[in-house]
Amino acid sequence: MEHIRHGIKRIGTSILLLLLTLLMLPAGSAQAATKIKGIDVSRWQGKVDWKKVKASGVEFVMLGIGRYHNGVRVPDTEFTYNITNALANGIHVGVYLYSEAGDVKTAKKEAQFMLDMIDGYKISYPVAFDIEDDVHRKMTTKQRTDITIAFLEEIEKAGYYPMVYASQSWLEYSLDLTRLTRYDKWVARWASSTSFRPLSMWQYTNKGKVSGITTNVDLDYSYKDYTKIVTPRTHALTKTDTGSNETEKPSEDVKVQEGWKASGKKYWYQKADGTRAKKGWLTVGEDKFYLDANGYRVSGWKKIGGRYYYFGQKTGAMQTGWLKLGSKYYYLKADGTRATGWVKVNGGRYYLDKKGVRKYGWLTVGKKKYLLGTKTGKACTGWTKYRGKIYYFSTQTGQMRKGWLTFGDNKYYTKSNGVRAAGWTKIKGKWYYFNKKNGVMKKSCKVGKYRFDGNGVCANYKK
């Protein structure tokens, strides 16, 4: 029996050594038993030759579907091409959305955008939420986690396999992982190893080279064989699908993907009934757009009905309020029309020339003069010091005042150029004295040998 005990001891030692060896391997190696080669791709990779990608040994791809930007769906311009051709070449497909959600409500809208984009395509890998935008950096950990869960829950309800994508540091310090334990993590760490656990998928470089792709591309390893975990799906579950009886929507019940569609660099809008929106105004959510004669969304300046409007270069949404283009400012009214002349904004008055450009400095309109802030363009009001001289501008209109001014018991005088008088000043042959600091006229008093009557006239002053 002694030799048996020695044998058992040797076996136990071997197992211990094996465990220690696994623990000492580079992070990620302990799961090398399942290490599936993949990539993630978006429009930034241009036109991909998916046949060559497949031949290179890539087994799965995570495709970017686009963004939900300021309430507008912005599909990735290469998504349809990428998913169609990746599937045609036998590559397993998962998807991700780059989030800009500032609240739970918007995160749910992003999820619906995702579901509409992938409807009709076979998805056999996870549906991921990419949370890393600047808008999220200003949030609390709870807020970031709330919007993440909101998106993932919507995806899960639809029958897809949800996943979180973020950098290792973001996952460890910016999200509450105790609330996300049931969701797989796709970790971005561009290095030779990652210590994040549990690890489901790892994006280990952004400078990969793959046959069929001319640019750098992100390379990934999947440590789970999702083909054995995920039930491939082409449509979201219906509301009545539950438990083991879950089924997909019949093709005849598939809803039309209402929203913006891309044709090269041009965008057109597909309505809920499947028809294409025609020329004219179009309201989507809280934003307004204008479509040209071919039904494409316009951007930049557009003259409509004799008036000028400005539409965002990236979103196409009609702009309102102050607009900065280069070094020039314009003001667009609540109806979107470009303002000219005087406009009142938040209690201030501004002047815009015939082309709508905000003016600065001295302004003459007819016989009236105004001074507009050299940085803000806002019309000056009240007493204003400009280049060492004091002027007075109407508090109602901003017009520069000239001549006598009376405020309470105090009188002032502004010359023909608008400059406030200071010291001895001769007006229509009579002499007056104005305080050099505040400009107040002396009256009904005696200063040294000089006497000032009730009107401020000094009868005994001689220059």
Side-chain angles (χ1 to χ4, degrees):
M1 297 296 290
E2 190 65 29
H3 67 281
I4 295 175
R5 285 196 294 271
H6 282 298
I8 292 172
K9 185 176 181 180
R10 285 195 299 272
I11 293 171
T13 303
S14 298
I15 292 173
L16 179 60
L17 288 172
L18 176 60
L19 289 173
L20 289 172
T21 301
L22 287 172
L23 290 172
M24 295 175 67
L25 286 172
S29 297
Q31 302 189 42
T34 301
K35 193 174 182 181
I36 302 170
K37 182 179 179 182
I39 58 176
D40 55 275
V41 170
S42 68
R43 63 188 177 90
W44 298 109
Q45 277 65 55
K47 288 295 180 184
V48 176
D49 187 331
W50 288 100
K51 186 175 182 180
K52 290 183 178 180
V53 171
K54 175 64 175 178
S56 72
V58 169
E59 295 185 54
F60 75 92
V61 62
M62 299 294 288
L63 292 176
I65 66 109
R67 301 177 300 151
Y68 186 75
H69 181 70
N70 292 335
V72 179
R73 295 180 171 196
V74 186
D76 187 287
T77 54
E78 297 298 319
F79 175 72
T80 301
Y81 170 84
N82 283 334
I83 195 168
T84 301
N85 288 279
L87 290 171
N89 283 278
I91 299 174
H92 295 292
V93 172
V95 287
Y96 69 90
L97 172 138
Y98 180 87
S99 175
E100 296 180 24
D103 51 46
V104 166
K105 183 179 178 180
T106 304
K108 290 183 177 181
K109 289 182 178 180
E110 289 184 330
Q112 188 56 56
F113 173 39
M114 168 66 84
L115 294 174
D116 288 343
M117 285 294 291
I118 63 178
D119 191 49
Y121 298 108
K122 182 181 177 181
I123 305 299
S124 55
Y125 257 64
V127 175
F129 185 66
D130 178 356
I131 177 168
E132 56 183 324
D133 191 70
D134 286 342
V135 69
H136 302 133
R137 299 180 188 280
K138 302 173 184 178
M139 296 180 178
T140 63
T141 297
K142 181 180 183 303
Q143 289 172 327
R144 286 189 288 264
T145 308
D146 286 344
I147 66 172
T148 301
I149 292 175
F151 178 93
L152 299 176
E153 286 181 342
E154 293 298 305
I155 296 303
E156 192 169 27
K157 287 177 187 177
Y160 293 92
Y161 195 98
M163 170 181 272
V164 185
Y165 168 90
S167 68
Q168 179 169 330
S169 60
W170 186 279
L171 286 169
E172 292 176 337
Y173 301 111
S174 299
L175 292 172
D176 184 354
L177 291 180
T178 63
R179 297 174 59 198
L180 297 168
T181 54
R182 64 192 304 267
Y183 300 108
D184 285 3
K185 315 301 187 301
W186 176 14
V187 184
R189 187 170 190 273
W190 302 333
S192 59
S193 64
T194 175
S195 59
F196 186 85
R197 296 292 185 274
L199 185 62
S200 300
M201 195 181 290
W202 175 28
Q203 183 189 85
Y204 60 92
T205 183
N206 68 330
K207 295 182 179 179
K209 296 295 182 182
V210 173
S211 177
I213 301 177
T214 58
T215 66
N216 287 341
V217 63
D218 298 335
L219 301 182
D220 304 273
Y221 286 129
S222 177
Y223 294 100
K224 288 186 177 182
D225 186 352
Y226 285 104
T227 62
K228 297 178 180 178
I229 302 172
V230 176
T231 300
R233 184 171 295 286
T234 54
H235 303 295
L237 293 175
T238 63
K239 293 182 180 179
T240 57
D241 293 332
T242 56
S244 60
N245 296 319
E246 63 182 41
T247 57
E248 296 184 5
K249 295 177 182 177
S251 58
E252 60 269 23
D253 293 332
V254 176
K255 290 184 177 180
V256 172
Q257 296 179 23
E258 180 179 2
W260 292 108
K261 309 294 179 182
S263 294
K265 294 184 179 180
K266 297 181 178 180
Y267 289 89
W268 54 277
Y269 194 83
Q270 181 171 278
K271 297 190 289 185
D273 61 2
T275 61
R276 179 170 174 164
K278 298 180 180 179
K279 177 184 178 180
W281 288 100
L282 173 69
T283 300
V284 179
E286 298 180 357
D287 293 318
K288 293 187 71 175
F289 304 85
Y290 192 81
L291 309 181
D292 64 18
N294 296 313
Y296 291 115
R297 188 174 75 192
V298 303
S299 60
W301 289 113
K302 181 70 177 179
K303 189 175 184 181
I304 305 170
R307 297 183 178 184
Y308 285 93
Y309 300 78
Y310 189 85
F311 301 88
Q313 292 287 359
K314 293 184 178 180
T315 67
M318 183 189 79
Q319 306 293 293
T320 59
W322 287 112
L323 171 69
K324 184 181 181 182
L325 296 176
S327 60
K328 298 178 180 179
Y329 280 88
Y330 303 82
Y331 188 76
L332 302 160
K333 303 176 186 177
D335 64 357
T337 55
R338 187 174 74 188
T340 58
W342 288 106
V343 294
K344 193 171 184 179
V345 183
N346 296 328
R349 298 181 79 243
Y350 303 82
Y351 191 83
L352 310 164
D353 66 17
K354 292 181 179 179
K355 293 185 177 180
V357 179
R358 189 168 78 186
K359 304 296 288 184
Y360 302 88
W362 285 107
L363 172 71
T364 301
V365 181
K367 294 183 179 181
K368 300 175 180 179
K369 290 193 72 174
Y370 305 83
L371 180 61
L372 309 176
T374 54
K375 292 184 178 180
T376 65
K378 182 179 178 180
C380 298
T381 57
W383 291 113
T384 302
K385 187 174 184 179
Y386 180 67
R387 294 184 177 177
K389 298 178 180 180
I390 307 295
Y391 303 81
Y392 187 83
F393 302 92
S394 167
T395 56
Q396 299 298 316
T397 65
Q399 180 185 345
M400 186 185 78
R401 297 285 297 274
K402 294 184 290 186
W404 288 103
L405 299 173
T406 301
F407 300 114
D409 293 331
N410 297 326
K411 292 192 72 172
Y412 306 82
Y413 186 79
T414 54
K415 303 174 185 179
S416 59
N417 61 359
V419 177
R420 188 175 72 186
W424 288 105
T425 304
K426 191 175 185 179
I427 304 170
K428 294 183 178 180
K430 298 177 181 180
W431 286 98
Y432 301 81
Y433 187 86
F434 299 89
N435 187 291
K436 291 184 178 181
K437 289 186 176 180
N438 59 25
V440 176
M441 181 193 76
K442 294 287 186 181
K443 66 176 182 178
S444 302
C445 64
K446 182 178 179 181
V447 180
K449 65 178 182 178
Y450 301 110
R451 298 185 302 276
F452 300 90
D453 63 21
N455 295 316
V457 176
C458 181
N460 63 335
Y461 177 78
K462 293 182 179 181
K463 188 174 181 180

